[in-house]
Amino acid sequence: MSSNNNFNESPNHFMVLDAISRGMKKIDGIAKVTKLSKDEVELILNDLKNQKLINTVVKKGFFGNKKTEYHTSDTGMRMLDSKKQELSSKSQRLQQLYDTGNRGQMQSYMDDNRMWMPMMLFSGIMSMVFFASMMSFMGMAMNPAESAQTEGQVDESGGAGAEDTGAASDTGASDTGDTGGVSDMGADSGMDTGGFDSF
C-alpha cells in the first residue's frame, strides 16, 4: 500500500494495528488474534512500518537470535483511534436501523460497510451477539472473515461468550416457532410457570 488513502480502506491493516496497540508484539501473536495468515501479517507490518504507523525494536534472544517486536507509533495510535470512532458511529447507525426494523435500509447500509465488519468485531466495536442477530434478521450468511472473528470472540470470552451464543440461538429458534418445549411442559405437567395468568 503506497498511500494513506489505500491504507484507510484496508480493514486488515487496522486489525493488525489494533492488535499491536493491545500488546501483541510478534508476528505469531498478531496472526493468531487477527486470524490472518503470517504472510499477510508480514506484508501489512511492512506497510505499517513504511508509513511510520508502527516502530520496530530488534532484541537479541538466546543463542544470538534476533527477535523483532512491533509497537504502535503516536501517529498510528491517532489513526487507529480516529478509525475506531468512525466505525463506532457506523455501528450505532446499524443499531438504529435494526431497532426500527427497516430491513431495506439496513441491508443497503450493511452492503456499503460490509468490509469493515471483521474489524468492528475484532476491536469490540460491535458485539458478536448483535452481529449474529442482525445477520439472522436480514437472512444473510457470514463470510469467512466475519465467522473467524465471531469464533474468536467466543474463544476469548470463555463461558460468558458461550452463554451469549446460546441465548442468540434460542431467540433464533423461537422466531421459527420452536419455543424449546418449555411452555408445553408447563401445560402438561400442571406446573405453574409464572406469567400473568397465575395471579
Side-chain angles (χ1 to χ4, degrees), residues 123-142:
S123 62
I125 292 169
M126 180 181 293
S127 80
M128 177 201 57
V129 174
F130 170 66
F131 181 71
S133 58
M134 182 179 68
M135 295 298 278
S136 175
F137 172 71
M138 290 187 293
M140 296 171 72
M142 289 185 206

Side-chain angles (χ1 to χ4, degrees), residues 94 97-98 102-111 114 117 130-141:
L94 272 171
L97 292 170
Y98 180 76
N102 189 329
R103 189 174 287 169
Q105 276 188 336
M106 193 172 174
Q107 176 86 42
S108 173
Y109 196 79
M110 179 74 171
D111 290 343
R114 185 78 186 256
M117 293 300 143
F130 170 66
F131 181 71
S133 58
M134 182 179 68
M135 295 298 278
S136 175
F137 172 71
M138 290 187 293
M140 296 171 72

Side-chain angles (χ1 to χ4, degrees), residues 72-98:
T72 314
S73 69
D74 290 341
T75 306
M77 280 306 294
R78 282 194 300 274
M79 195 167 204
L80 179 62
D81 289 342
S82 174
K83 180 54 81 174
K84 282 184 169 183
Q85 287 177 355
E86 176 190 328
L87 294 177
S88 181
S89 298
K90 290 180 187 231
S91 177
Q92 288 171 2
R93 177 68 181 137
L94 272 171
Q95 181 76 51
Q96 290 169 346
L97 292 170
Y98 180 76

